[in-house]
Amino acid sequence: MKQAEWQRSQQARVESLLSGVPFFNEVSRDDADQRALLLAGTRILEAAPGEVVIRAGAEASGLYFLLRGELWVLGEGTPPPVVYRVSPGEVFGALSLLQATPRSATLKVAEKVAEGDRAKPAVLARLSFADFDEPRVALFSLATRLALFHMLVHQIRWAVEVQRLAAPDAELEAALRKIPVYQGEKETAQELAALREQARELAALLCRWNDHPRAGPAMT
């Protein structure tokens, strides 16, 4: 991957691409200063068809959003099968960040979109997860960090529900019911702490469900 050479010179293009991601839209709508800070902290990356963007076993630090193109999540085997397809607007790379573990899967840009057709390059946005997650170094406001963790909790819980339907399991369903949902005062540091913990517990549960013999494809 390489940083897009046009990121600084074509601001309208950058903002148009990011408009396809609800998280960026929410921050842009609610706070102009946070919007500027978010844009400054976002790296726009380009990757060619077939290029690996995340490699299993690598150290995790960045949270990614796919803006254009398609990514393949590869499973085990020779050749490795495509077990999941990431579409524009999706976030990926969250599970290893939340659990502080190496990347669990390899992702590469799709090599073709239809029989005989070669895929287009992918365009991605990368954020440093520590800028949102570590209290001592977090650059963003409480509202922006809440927006990010609300998004992560929502998407991981959705992925858990998909796996629950595909692979019912009494033990895993009992573990899901034990994950608390925050009921306290909104827009507070307490809510952020609860969301961070909820996201981590859901990520751990999703990884367990992904390993279920009957599980379907899921987010990474």
Side-chain angles (χ1 to χ4, degrees):
M1 283 190 298
K2 64 178 182 179
Q3 184 158 357
E5 296 178 355
W6 43 265
Q7 179 171 358
R8 293 188 177 182
S9 61
Q10 300 182 33
Q11 194 67 19
R13 180 180 178 185
V14 171
E15 294 188 27
S16 176
L17 285 167
L18 294 176
S19 68
V21 180
F23 166 67
F24 286 92
N25 276 337
E26 181 177 348
V27 175
S28 297
R29 180 185 67 242
D30 294 343
D31 190 317
D33 291 337
Q34 286 291 293
R35 169 181 172 277
L37 190 61
L38 184 60
L39 289 174
T42 301
R43 291 185 63 198
I44 304 298
L45 304 169
E46 295 179 308
E51 184 174 354
V52 171
V53 298
I54 284 180
R55 192 173 299 278
E59 181 180 353
S61 61
L63 182 67
Y64 293 89
F65 300 83
L66 182 60
L67 306 179
R68 287 287 186 272
E70 180 181 280
L71 301 181
W72 292 348
V73 180
L74 304 181
E76 297 181 359
T78 306
V82 178
V83 298
Y84 184 71
R85 298 171 188 267
V86 181
S87 300
E90 287 191 65
V91 59
F92 62 97
L95 299 188
S96 55
L97 292 168
L98 289 166
Q99 298 180 94
T101 58
R103 300 296 192 186
S104 60
T106 295
L107 286 80
K108 72 175 183 179
V109 183
E111 297 174 354
K112 59 182 180 180
V113 292
E115 191 64 33
D117 293 335
R118 187 169 178 80
K120 298 179 180 179
V123 181
L124 310 91
R126 181 189 185 278
L127 295 174
S128 171
F129 188 62
D131 291 345
F132 298 86
D133 189 50
E134 296 294 337
R136 288 175 294 181
V137 299
L139 299 177
F140 296 97
S141 69
L142 175 62
T144 298
R145 295 170 69 198
L146 281 167
L148 182 86
F149 277 96
H150 272 298
M151 175 201 67
L152 292 177
V153 166
H154 174 77
Q155 294 208 9
I156 299 172
R157 184 172 286 277
W158 174 82
V160 167
E161 289 296 329
V162 170
Q163 296 296 47
R164 186 179 68 83
L165 293 174
D169 183 287
E171 180 185 356
L172 295 176
E173 291 180 17
L176 176 60
R177 290 192 294 271
K178 291 179 181 178
I179 297 178
V181 177
Y182 181 71
Q183 301 292 338
E185 185 178 356
K186 303 295 186 181
E187 308 298 327
T188 62
Q190 290 73 25
E191 182 186 15
L192 177 60
L195 285 173
R196 291 173 70 236
E197 182 61 26
Q198 186 180 358
R200 283 171 164 78
E201 292 187 29
L202 285 168
L205 181 60
L206 178 57
C207 287
R208 290 174 60 193
W209 229 310
N210 287 346
D211 290 334
H212 195 285
R214 296 193 303 277
M219 69 178 292
T220 63

